[in-house]
Amino acid sequence: MQYLWDEFSIKTFPAETIVFRDGVFMPELSTLPNSLKITKKHDLPVHIICVGEIAGLFDINCEISAPDATVFLTVKTTNKKPAFLNVFIKNTGKNSVFNGKILVQNYGVLEINEKAGHFAEKAGVFLNNKIVAHAGSESKLYGAAEIAQGCESCESDIGFTALAAPDAKIQFSPAQRIGAAPSSAAHSASIWRESNAQVEYLRTAGLSGSEIKKVLTEAFTNDNF
């Protein structure tokens, strides 16, 4: 798994792995078969990893039915052609948690559609999304969370943050449907902007305008990845 750090700066940890590169399952890097149905609790957490470039339709459909399971998702991809990324999480496992971190470098047209379903008590789904919207790109970002009736004390959070070029187009559309009292339920969307203090500090350190842009982009993309 060292190449994931060398090439994609992805932090790995002891886990059962399911790895995709350029939308293709990689059995030589995976310890589990190509199935995102988590039907039992493993001794180690399950880590779903998606890297490389995506184009067209790419679906991540994960269903957790085992109680007390822990599942991580790391997506670090680029799209230059139109791409549609669907992330559908169905958590029916009591006390089970899904924790996803998604980073996409968008150079073209990108649509992300996420649905987080909580269908058991204390089910958790967390999706942290970062989009780098490059010049001339278009991004449509949809997120919806549902906590079903009778599923008390769930935790839910879907967040989108975008670092956008001045002429990039971005559309956010958050939604929540809460049928039972959660422990926490949050949904957010924001545009990240560098501060004048950050730019001035880097300028006084001798960096050019292009170097400052590169440093700030790397800081945005590598934070928490």
Side-chain angles (χ1 to χ4, degrees):
M1 304 295 282
Q2 181 63 37
Y3 96 95
L4 290 171
W5 173 254
D6 294 338
E7 188 172 351
F8 298 98
S9 299
I10 287 181
K11 300 173 184 177
T12 55
F13 47 84
E16 301 288 355
T17 55
I18 304 172
V19 182
F20 299 87
R21 181 168 187 170
D22 298 331
V24 178
F25 176 63
M26 302 185 70
E28 67 274 16
L29 295 174
S30 305
T31 63
L32 295 178
N34 184 10
S35 174
L36 301 186
K37 291 188 176 182
I38 313 302
T39 59
K40 69 174 184 178
K41 181 182 182 295
H42 297 273
D43 293 335
L44 295 173
V46 175
H47 192 185
I48 305 164
I49 301 170
C50 304
V51 294
E53 187 171 337
I54 58 173
L57 179 63
F58 184 53
D59 288 340
I60 300 173
N61 293 315
C62 183
E63 182 174 344
I64 305 170
S65 58
D68 304 307
T70 302
V71 181
F72 292 91
L73 169 69
T74 301
V75 178
K76 206 165 189 179
T77 66
T78 299
N79 77 289
K80 298 176 181 177
K81 298 179 180 179
F84 302 87
L85 174 61
N86 294 322
V87 182
F88 299 149
I89 313 302
K90 183 179 180 181
N91 191 348
T92 64
K94 185 177 180 179
N95 294 319
S96 289
V97 177
F98 182 98
N99 195 327
K101 293 183 178 181
I102 298 167
L103 169 64
V104 183
Q105 300 264 1
N106 179 22
Y107 292 90
V109 177
L110 171 69
E111 181 174 315
I112 295 179
N113 186 15
E114 296 182 348
K115 294 182 180 179
H118 307 69
F119 299 103
E121 291 182 30
K122 299 182 180 180
V125 180
F126 304 90
L127 290 168
N128 175 14
N129 300 270
K130 289 186 175 183
I131 312 298
V132 181
H134 292 274
S137 65
E138 297 183 19
S139 305
K140 295 182 179 180
L141 312 172
Y142 304 98
E146 177 184 359
I147 298 177
Q149 291 184 359
C151 299
E152 306 291 337
S153 303
C154 290
E155 294 183 277
S156 178
D157 190 353
I158 302 178
F160 292 100
T161 306
L163 172 61
D167 63 343
K169 297 179 181 179
I170 299 179
Q171 177 180 328
F172 297 109
S173 182
Q176 285 185 329
R177 182 180 178 184
I178 309 299
S183 290
S184 64
H187 206 131
S188 62
S190 62
I191 302 292
W192 187 87
R193 302 288 188 191
E194 70 275 7
S195 68
N196 292 333
Q198 289 173 319
V199 174
E200 186 61 28
Y201 174 81
L202 294 172
R203 184 178 291 115
T204 56
L207 274 66
S208 66
S210 61
E211 290 172 330
I212 291 173
K213 180 180 178 181
K214 181 179 179 181
V215 168
L216 291 173
T217 300
E218 289 179 351
F220 174 80
T221 58
N222 290 330
D223 183 33
N224 293 327
F225 269 86

